[in-house]
Amino acid sequence: GAGVSQTPSNKVTEKGKYVELRCDPISGHTALYWYRQSLGQGPEFLIYFQGTGAADDSGLPNDRFFAVRPEGSVSTLKIQRTERGDSAVYLCASSLGVAAQVDTQYFGPGTRLTVL
Amino acid sequence: AQSVTQLDSHVSVSEGTPVLLRCNYSSSYSPSLFWYVQHPNKGLQLLLKYTSAATLVKGINGFEAEFKKSETSFHLTKPSAHMSDAAEYFCVVSDRGSGYSTLTFGKGTMLLVSP
């Protein structure tokens, strides 16, 4: 079956511009996560959705970052006034969202964002 | 709070020799532990997971890991390396105390396999 997909695979933008990154989770997965992976580092948690609501956004670095999931499926990560330090690979993961067990998270291939 | 320390940034082995990737964790609750692999330009793939059942966990492609609570370790092993095992490996902890599984990743270990 189809896995998690992310678009675009690469995005190059200029400092100060606005970008949107899209994640399409596995069908039927209610939980969706965004992570950011900087060069030479492991992924770091940004935000978690259960259904349509952001259940935990404690990983968002500042108020330039925002994410939505209006219909409980596709999610969009939005970054305003991009800075060079935002350059990274942005990863999306989804899971079944069953609270009584440890969900396995399935990751997409990521979007590589480069801010010039 | 939870954290993961991967003790080696790079490990080099010859094809056919054993692999050992080391990981220590810290967690306030009974942790769940994972190993993920990331091949170049590919997404993260789950190798195996420990969720408080058997302490020796078998994963895909011949990998296994042993949970040792007394040592707070979860080292990844494979008896015989294959060229296709060359990739970056991440040890990951999930603190169930939060009620859902936010993952905390180590910095990764790059496995290099020479012929």
Side-chain angles (χ1 to χ4, degrees):
Chain A
V4 178
S5 62
Q6 293 186 246
T7 54
S9 55
N10 280 282
K11 175 71 177 177
V12 180
T13 191
E14 294 179 342
K15 181 175 178 294
K17 299 288 189 183
Y18 168 83
V19 296
E20 290 189 351
L21 312 179
R22 175 189 167 108
C23 171
D24 205 333
I26 293 171
S27 178
H29 281 191
T30 62
L32 185 146
Y33 302 78
W34 283 98
Y35 294 83
R36 177 168 73 173
Q37 186 174 17
S38 300
L39 194 63
Q41 302 293 319
E44 294 178 317
F45 169 75
L46 295 177
I47 186 169
Y48 156 66
F49 286 90
Q50 181 61 44
T52 59
D56 184 350
D57 64 358
S58 62
L60 295 178
N62 51 59
D63 61 5
R64 295 186 298 105
F65 288 74
F66 188 72
V68 296
R69 194 185 185 199
E71 298 179 357
S73 178
V74 171
S75 175
T76 304
L77 179 65
K78 308 180 180 194
I79 310 174
Q80 299 176 320
R81 305 183 304 280
T82 51
E83 299 177 357
R84 292 193 180 88
D86 299 334
S87 296
V89 176
Y90 289 81
L91 297 167
C92 176
S94 71
S95 70
L96 283 171
V98 178
Q101 67 186 39
V102 177
D103 271 352
T104 294
Q105 295 185 22
Y106 297 89
F107 283 81
T111 294
R112 182 177 299 278
L113 174 67
T114 303
V115 182
L116 301 177
Chain B
Q2 56 193 22
S3 66
V4 172
T5 301
Q6 291 185 245
L7 297 163
D8 306 293
S9 61
H10 292 80
V11 169
S12 295
V13 300
S14 299
E15 191 174 22
T17 64
V19 175
L20 170 63
L21 305 184
R22 298 182 294 165
C23 171
N24 287 102
Y25 70 91
S26 172
S27 176
S28 302
Y29 299 87
S30 296
S32 293
L33 294 156
F34 308 78
W35 277 97
Y36 279 84
V37 61
Q38 189 174 40
H39 287 91
N41 300 315
K42 297 278 184 69
L44 286 158
Q45 181 184 19
L46 180 68
L47 275 180
L48 49 81
K49 68 178 180 182
Y50 165 77
T51 57
S52 76
T55 56
L56 183 62
V57 182
K58 294 187 184 298
I60 61 172
N61 300 335
F63 284 95
E64 62 181 39
E66 186 171 8
F67 173 72
K68 292 187 177 180
K69 186 175 181 179
S70 61
E71 298 176 10
T72 60
S73 70
F74 190 58
H75 301 333
L76 181 71
T77 60
K78 182 173 180 176
S80 177
H82 193 272
M83 294 296 290
S84 61
D85 294 328
E88 187 152 31
Y89 292 78
F90 292 96
C91 183
V92 183
V93 64
S94 168
D95 188 339
R96 288 298 293 168
S98 63
Y100 60 89
S101 51
T102 298
L103 302 180
T104 298
F105 285 75
K107 291 189 174 182
T109 298
M110 184 67 71
L111 177 63
L112 306 169
V113 183
S114 57

